[in-house]
Each structure stands twice: as C-alpha cells, then as structure tokens.
Amino acid sequence: MSHFSLPSLVANALGSNKGWTKQWAKPEPKANYDVIIVGAGGHGLAAAYYLAKEHNITNVAVLEKGWLGGGNTARNTTIIRSSYLRDESARLYDHALGLWEGLAQEINYNLMFSQRGAMALAHTVHDVQALKRRIYANRLNGIDGEWLSPQQAKAFCPPLNISTDARYPVLGAGLQRRGGVARHDGIAWGFARAASARGVHIIENCAVTGINRAPDGSVTGVETTRGTIGAKKIALSTAGNSSMLLDMAGIRTPIECFSLQALVSEPIEPIFPCVALSNSVHAYISQSDKGELVIGAGTEQYFSYSQRGPLHSVEHTVAAICEMFPIFTRLRMMRNWGGTVDVTPDRSPILGLTPVPGLYINAGWGTGGFKATPGAGHLLAFTIANNVPHDISAPFSLKRFQTGNLIDEAAAASVAH
Amino acid sequence: MLLIDCPYCKEMRPEVEFSHAGEAHIDRPADPSSLSDEEWESFLFLRSNRAGICFERWYHIHGCGRYFNAVRNNVSEKFILTYPAGQKRPSDAQIKGALS
Ligand SMILES: Cc1cc2nc3c(=O)[nH]c(=O)nc-3n(C[C@H](O)[C@H](O)[C@H](O)COP(=O)(O)OP(=O)(O)OC[C@H]3O[C@@H](n4cnc5c(N)ncnc54)[C@H](O)[C@@H]3O)c2cc1C
Ligand SMILES: [Zn+2]
C-alpha cells in the first residue's frame, strides 16, 4: 500500500500515475476468524480498523453481500454534527465528531472532511424554543452551539431568503460551527485501506445467510454465499438489513425500515457555504466539492426495502428548497435515489451485546448514522474486544426497549440527519 | 406515488390521501396490568420488519376517514390485498391466490 503524500503525488505524476498500488487486498475467505463483522459499510469497516489498531485483534473478516461502501454509506447526504439534545446522544455523537477531526491524518486518507458549519433553521415560535433549548443543552455538554438572528443567518449563508413575507419566514437559526460534511466514499475507502493494511480481510460478494450456534447458544460462525466461515465473535453492522440478520439468531428487533431519498442538482460554481437544515419545511442542503447541491428529503411513510421512493416527496422537498433559497428556482436536478433506513422507536441507535453470547449489534442509526461512522466503529470494536459495552454506548443497549430507558431524539432533536 | 385500493370506498386513490399507520395485526393486550416487561416490549416495540410481504395499516385520512389493512410487497412496493380492519390476517393461500 503506498503512502499518500506530496512527494508520492509528484513521483506518481511524473510516472504517468502508473505506480499506484491497490488500496486494499481482496483475499479469499479463510475457514476461521477470531471476529467476523457483517456489513462493509463505513461502520463495519471502522470497527475492523479499530479492532486491529486499538485492540490488536487482526484475525478479522468483514463480510459484505455487495461491494464495500455500497449501502447507505454511498447514499447519504453526509451531514455531520453532534448537536443532539439528550446527554447520552450528545456524548455519543460528539465522540464521533472528535474522531472525525483527526481522522484524515491518522489514516492518511483525504476524507474531504469540511467543518463548514451545520445550521438548523427555525420557522415557528416552537422551532425557536426547541432550537434554543437544544443549544443550551449542547453547551452544558461542552458542545459548541450558537443562536443566529435572521440577519446573522443570512450573513452566514447568503442564498437564504429571510424576507418576512416568505411562506415560512426564517425566525433565526441554531449553528454548530464544528458541523459539516465529508466525502461519503472516502470514509469507507479510507477505513478499508487502513484495516486491510493491518491484516483485516475484506470479503465482498459474500452475503451472510445464517448464523451458526453451539449447543450452549453461543455463535460459532456464519453461513454465506461463499460457504461456511467460523468465528468466535460476530458483529452485525448491516443498517437496513439488521432485522433480517438478527432474525437468523432468533432475535426480534425494535426496528422498522423505510425509504429515505436524496437528490443532486447540476454542478454550479461555489455558492452554498454551509449545511442548512430545516425540519419544519423538511429539507436539507449543502454543496459538494463537485458543485452539485446535495439535497435530502424526509423519510417515506410506509415500510420499504426498495431503496427508492415516490416522486411527490422529491417535489415537496424541492419546493421547500425553492422557498428558502429562491435563487435556486431555475436550477435543474440531475439524479435522485433512495436508501433503506433502519429506524428505532426513539430514533436512537442500538449498539452493544445481544442475548446471544458472542453476537454484537450495531444498528438503528436510521436517517443519521453517517456522522457517527468513526464513533460507532470505535465503540463497537471496544464492545467486541471486551465483551462489555463502552461507557458511551452503554445507554444504547437493545435492553432499553424492555427497561423503558429510551433516548428520545425523535421530536427533541428536531432534525432528521 | 402508490395507488391504494380503499376497501371501504372501493376505489383506487393516490397515496397522498392516505397515511400509513404501522404494522397490522398487533393485538392490544387483553389485560394490560398483567403484562411483564418483556410482553410490553413485544407489544410496543418489536416488529416483523422483513423484506418482502408485509402486513400494514393504512388510514384513508383524506377520504372515508377509516382504517384498513393491506398486504404489500415492500421490495416491489406492489399492493397484494387490502381489507377492512378487524378482518383476520389473510392466509398464505389467499395471498398466493391474490398474486396469481
Ligand atoms: C438518502 C439518505 C440520506 C442520509 N443522510 C444522512 C446525513 O446527512 N447524515 C448522516 O449522518 N446520516 C445520513 N443518512 C444515514 C446514513 O447513511 C446511515 O446511518 C449510515 O451510512 C449507516 O452506515 P452503515 O455503515 O451502518 O450502513 P451501510 O453503509 O448501509 O452498510 C451496511 C452494509 O451491510 C451490508 N449487508 C446487509 N446485509 C448483509 C448480509 N446479509 N451479508 C453481508 N452484508 C450485508 C450492506 O450491503 C451494506 O453494505 C442518510 C441515509 C440515506 C439513505
Ligand atoms: Zn376510503
């Protein structure tokens, strides 16, 4: 694996870029591993990397039914922030944001991580109260947050329409300056490369179809489309497919799957300097480095595994964007797509042990898990290595739906991403 | 947009007239105070959530204002059956019949 640096760039440019080596290995599956991680999304790959790096567990395979990073990692709008309301969530998401901040250097990979600020707009008195409450709660948790007047919001994001005769006038905004975006593929590729370099096997086109158990109930391995593979520990990090995988181990889940759509415009000159989110009119927007406006819609109302959604939701979203940013009314939209999001009753993830010995779960991140990628992987690796939940993820257990200790981010956080 | 056959109105109407109301055929506990935590968890939170055939409730909110149930394939998004609330969950044979 070649190291990325200015000298290596120059040397390879002089050699017509023929000297680059493959970024990760494509080994055949072995018969046995210490740990199998199911799902080579950002989360699963991150967990493999941290298992190797922090726990010295390198006899690890990440099994992926399609290609690595082709799930929701590839489909999301990459909004990153840690401005969640509840103490437990604030710790969880800020742990992830902290890891993002040093990650590109650590894994020697350009993640295009850009802390351009995530700004949530308030359009009603209730929005104002909810956002201010969230900012104060965030500050108590050591997370940056500030309230902007409509004029300050406009100065921060010039395309914003703050006229008072708008259908949903902007009454102010909550800003987290450390929020931003990153390159969706970058995080999957970066972790794949870093994990592979430490000996982790990443095995694509290998769908897990069953979970094998010993007479005492503990896991012994998995059945896959490429044969039986043994493992002492198995972690499921399969986002929208998690209920089906847990089903294989006889575990019913508090998860429901829906489609969530996004779309991009034709590429234009840099015009949109931040991330803007509006829960009331239901739209999220930022501009990619390619110049496309990246726009996210709301979750569809009905159960779905189709990875697509209806046009009327896209229309609704675009209408909201045009309302808030009239300068974009003549812009053409280029592509739209959908992903299957795994939603829990309290809109918080599930990360920890399961009733089956040796089986671990990381799921339920729903519409907002991209931002958590390094954090989820880090905490999952700790949980696998030590067979106990990390302090930060302990409240996010599967058990909480029995004890009633829900971590309600549904209405409270007031933004879906 | 989905086209949905309301079993009361007996008409195919667009999805925007309806609101989805969660998984169907989850019975309310007959004697709530006798339920254990596990049983509450199961009733309130645990769901089937499989890819393929699903049973779900719909509310014809901008139509007749009534709830009904549907059998739908959530991968192809095609409705297989709709039927009034209170009616028993269709058997596999009935679903197969409706599919052919
Ligand atoms: C349109 C859209 C917009 C979003 N916007 C944002 C946003 O702005 N900010 C944010 O933080 N989050 C956002 N999200 C949510 C975010 O994408 C996810 O929470 C996150 O990417 C989940 O990462 P993951 O690695 O767990 O999942 P994935 O990338 O989906 O990885 C799971 C992997 O498991 C594999 N798998 C499944 N079943 C099996 C099996 N049986 N055997 C082997 N492999 C299997 C899948 O193929 C997949 O590659 C958005 C999601 C969507 C759909
Ligand atoms: Zn009707």
Side-chain angles (χ1 to χ4, degrees):
Chain A
M1 184 187 86
S2 34
H3 186 81
F4 295 124
S5 64
L6 188 57
S8 76
L9 271 180
V10 172
N12 277 287
L14 293 175
S16 308
N17 282 312
K18 285 181 185 153
W20 295 113
T21 51
K22 288 235 155 48
Q23 297 195 31
W24 52 82
K26 289 202 185 240
E28 286 299 308
K30 293 196 299 185
N32 283 290
Y33 291 94
D34 289 340
V35 177
I36 283 179
I37 295 170
V38 187
H43 286 216
L45 293 165
Y49 166 72
Y50 287 115
L51 268 180
K53 182 193 163 224
E54 301 209 340
H55 306 284
N56 215 15
I57 301 175
T58 55
N59 186 19
V60 176
V62 186
L63 308 183
E64 167 56 49
K65 70 171 177 176
W67 61 94
L68 74 84
N72 285 351
T73 300
R75 296 161 191 271
N76 81 98
T77 49
T78 78
I79 297 171
I80 296 171
R81 60 186 183 87
S82 62
S83 49
Y84 281 70
L85 179 71
R86 306 281 165 200
D87 294 349
E88 297 88 345
S89 322
R91 280 187 76 200
L92 178 70
Y93 289 98
D94 209 49
H95 177 63
L97 184 50
L99 290 172
W100 273 108
E101 283 169 337
L103 198 57
Q105 284 71 22
E106 179 182 323
I107 62 175
N108 178 232
Y109 209 85
N110 185 1
L111 304 173
M112 298 189 183
F113 176 52
S114 158
Q115 291 178 293
R116 55 186 69 176
M119 182 176 78
L121 298 169
H123 304 276
T124 64
V125 172
H126 178 258
D127 281 351
V128 172
Q129 289 167 346
L131 276 174
K132 284 190 173 167
R133 176 188 177 209
R134 181 145 64 87
I135 291 169
Y136 298 141
N138 287 162
R139 287 204 202 143
L140 288 174
N141 280 313
I143 294 172
D144 66 308
E146 58 200 89
W147 177 251
L148 303 182
S149 68
Q151 290 72 26
Q152 288 170 320
K154 173 130 185 111
F156 189 69
C157 180
L160 183 64
N161 175 19
I162 57 163
S163 85
T164 47
D165 54 14
R167 174 70 181 84
Y168 297 99
V170 173
L171 302 184
L175 171 65
Q176 184 182 22
R177 286 187 195 273
R178 281 166 66 233
V181 289
R183 164 108 175 122
H184 50 93
D185 293 324
I187 188 81
W189 296 341
F191 274 132
R193 175 172 168 271
S196 181
R198 287 171 189 264
V200 169
H201 282 190
I202 301 163
I203 298 164
E204 294 168 295
N205 297 311
C206 181
V208 170
T209 54
I211 295 174
N212 297 332
R213 316 261 297 271
D216 70 352
S218 61
V219 301
T220 59
V222 291
E223 292 301 324
T224 78
T225 47
R226 296 177 66 171
T228 307
I229 307 178
K232 295 182 197 119
K233 295 178 174 184
I234 300 171
L236 306 176
S237 195
T238 47
N241 285 273
S242 300
S243 291
M244 263 103 59
L245 279 129
L246 283 160
D247 244 14
M248 294 172 192
I251 301 168
R252 293 183 68 211
T253 39
I255 296 177
E256 292 178 320
C257 286
F258 302 90
S259 280
L260 178 65
Q261 297 187 85
L263 62 155
V264 290
S265 74
E266 57 190 328
I268 51 175
E269 293 293 312
I271 183 169
F272 206 85
C274 63
V275 178
L277 310 99
S278 167
N279 205 47
S280 289
V281 303
H282 240 127
Y284 317 90
I285 179 169
S286 66
Q287 187 172 19
S288 75
D289 290 339
K290 273 193 284 184
E292 303 158 330
L293 295 183
V294 181
I295 297 167
T299 314
E300 300 305 328
Q301 57 169 341
Y302 50 86
F303 303 141
S304 181
Y305 281 92
S306 67
Q307 294 190 311
R308 62 198 169 100
L311 189 63
H312 69 92
S313 319
V314 173
E315 209 177 326
H316 177 81
T317 301
V318 170
I321 294 293
C322 292
E323 171 69 25
M324 289 188 294
F325 310 102
I327 193 173
F328 296 141
T329 44
R330 307 291 293 272
L331 202 61
R332 278 167 299 198
M333 295 300 147
M334 290 225 302
R335 297 189 304 279
N336 78 309
W337 64 89
T340 299
V341 290
D342 45 335
V343 176
T344 61
D346 58 1
R347 301 297 187 274
S348 288
I350 301 166
L351 205 171
L353 311 182
T354 70
V356 173
L359 185 68
Y360 307 90
I361 178 71
N362 169 47
W365 290 92
T367 62
F370 178 75
K371 63 178 69 64
T373 303
H378 186 251
L379 299 169
L380 181 60
F382 180 96
T383 308
I384 297 168
N386 298 294
N387 199 36
V388 289
H390 191 283
D391 260 4
I392 295 177
S393 48
F396 297 87
S397 71
L398 190 54
K399 259 277 195 272
R400 74 178 184 271
F401 299 94
Q402 224 173 74
T403 60
N405 292 319
L406 302 192
I407 304 162
D408 183 13
E409 291 289 347
S414 84
V415 250
H417 300 311
Chain B
M1 187 174 324
L2 303 177
L3 287 176
I4 307 178
D5 194 4
C6 172
Y8 306 109
C9 300
K10 303 205 178 345
E11 246 187 82
M12 239 358 159
R13 307 294 302 169
E15 181 199 329
V16 286
E17 287 188 12
F18 298 84
S19 82
H20 189 261
E23 187 169 334
H25 302 295
I26 297 174
D27 293 335
R28 274 175 183 276
D31 180 11
S33 55
S34 72
L35 253 53
S36 67
D37 286 354
E38 286 83 351
E39 287 164 327
W40 272 120
E41 179 194 32
S42 178
F43 168 65
L44 289 172
F45 301 127
L46 302 184
R47 296 294 176 260
S48 312
N49 196 38
R50 302 224 178 85
I53 303 282
C54 68
F55 297 84
E56 59 189 6
R57 301 164 75 223
W58 285 90
Y59 177 28
H60 197 179
I61 184 169
H62 300 299
C64 60
R66 299 173 74 182
Y67 283 90
F68 59 91
N69 292 333
V71 184
R72 192 170 55 86
N73 183 320
N74 61 25
V75 179
S76 68
E77 311 287 27
K78 285 215 171 87
F79 279 89
I80 298 162
L81 283 169
T82 57
Y83 50 99
Q87 203 165 298
K88 266 181 65 185
R89 176 183 171 131
S91 65
D92 290 353
Q94 280 170 305
I95 294 172
K96 250 205 188 127
L99 276 169
S100 58

